[in-house]
Amino acid sequence: MFAVLKTGGKQYRVQAGDVLRVERLAADAGEKIQFNDILMLGGDSPVIGAPLVAGAAVQAEVIDQIKGDKVIHFVKRRRKHSSQRTKGHRQKLTLVRVTDILASGADASGVKAAIGSGSVSGASMAAAAPAVAGEVSGTRPANLLTEARGGKADDLKKISGVGPKLEGLLHQNGVFHFDQIAAWTESEIAYMDDQLSFKGRIARDNWLEQAATLAADKE
């Protein structure tokens, strides 16, 4: 059996024994984690999610927290010889080994969800610690979800300041509905600001008021 999982905005086809390098997860070396965003299960009886396969998961063991190869970014502007810049970057990654693929019963496995900048599973988010202590401000919202209720998300782009990219980030972080945003506290807003990398955007564009109005219009 193999599975197609989603984490860090990327998709991976995996089977037991595979070793993956994924975007940094909140887990220590030797810890067992569980990826709950499963898009497909393959084998004798393939199952395709809509968009996720309910109850399915991929369990893995964290081998180490590593950094990727250095990427050099060099900028030089024409006719401005004094304007040039070289920047190096090494992406933070987590090295994991796949141990098991669950076709069902993931909710009752008791294994910590794989949580990171791009990997969100709402069922276990409240109990999961941030990737690095002190780096994330605020409090993780308690109303985040694994998937949209009824399989249909609200059109979050109706909120002024939310485009396709931000809507995608909100979905990755477990936000699918207007009422979720409308219920955030100041501490939860600070947390989501960090996750979306747009400091102050939520308060500046009055997301909570807009979301409350849009949620009321749906009723």
Side-chain angles (χ1 to χ4, degrees):
M1 175 186 289
F2 70 87
V4 177
L5 64 88
K6 180 177 70 174
T7 180
K10 301 179 180 67
Q11 298 176 14
Y12 302 87
R13 181 187 186 281
V14 301
Q15 57 188 24
D18 285 353
V19 175
L20 301 177
R21 299 198 311 169
V22 300
E23 300 246 352
R24 180 65 63 95
L25 302 175
D28 299 322
E31 194 169 0
K32 191 172 183 180
I33 56 173
Q34 179 170 291
F35 296 95
N36 292 320
D37 292 347
I38 308 303
L39 304 175
M40 175 183 175
L41 292 175
D44 295 334
S45 301
V47 180
I48 298 176
L52 303 178
V53 180
V58 171
Q59 295 183 346
E61 180 185 359
V62 176
I63 299 174
D64 198 6
Q65 299 287 5
I66 61 175
K67 287 186 177 181
D69 298 332
K70 179 172 284 190
V71 177
I72 302 298
H73 178 63
F74 179 74
V75 176
K76 183 173 182 178
R77 296 176 177 83
R78 277 184 77 193
R79 302 187 184 92
K80 294 183 179 179
H81 301 293
S82 61
S83 179
Q84 58 186 36
R85 180 176 58 192
T86 301
K87 296 193 332 184
H89 171 71
R90 295 185 67 190
Q91 181 68 37
K92 295 181 178 179
L93 303 171
T94 299
L95 192 64
V96 301
R97 178 181 290 106
V98 176
T99 57
D100 198 11
I101 296 176
L102 304 180
S104 61
D107 295 341
S109 69
V111 177
K112 174 182 174 180
I115 304 295
S117 59
S119 174
V120 179
S121 299
S124 304
M125 286 189 73
V132 180
E135 283 192 356
V136 180
S137 61
T139 304
R140 182 180 290 109
N143 63 356
L144 300 182
L145 303 172
T146 306
E147 58 185 29
R149 293 191 291 265
K152 186 176 181 180
D154 294 337
D155 184 2
L156 301 182
K157 296 189 295 297
K158 289 183 178 180
I159 298 176
S160 177
V162 177
K165 181 178 179 180
L166 267 180
E167 184 180 48
L169 286 173
L170 286 165
H171 289 172
Q172 288 180 18
N173 282 277
V175 182
F176 299 92
H177 302 285
F178 298 130
D179 60 289
Q180 290 179 270
I181 297 174
W184 289 344
T185 64
E186 289 187 11
S187 181
E188 291 171 339
I189 290 172
Y191 175 88
M192 292 305 300
D193 270 339
D194 275 347
Q195 300 304 304
L196 301 177
S197 299
F198 283 100
K199 293 285 187 181
R201 168 68 65 87
I202 297 173
R204 185 170 63 251
D205 290 341
N206 296 317
W207 282 20
L208 270 66
E209 294 178 16
Q210 294 186 65
T213 300
L214 290 165
D217 290 343
K218 285 182 57 183
E219 296 177 354

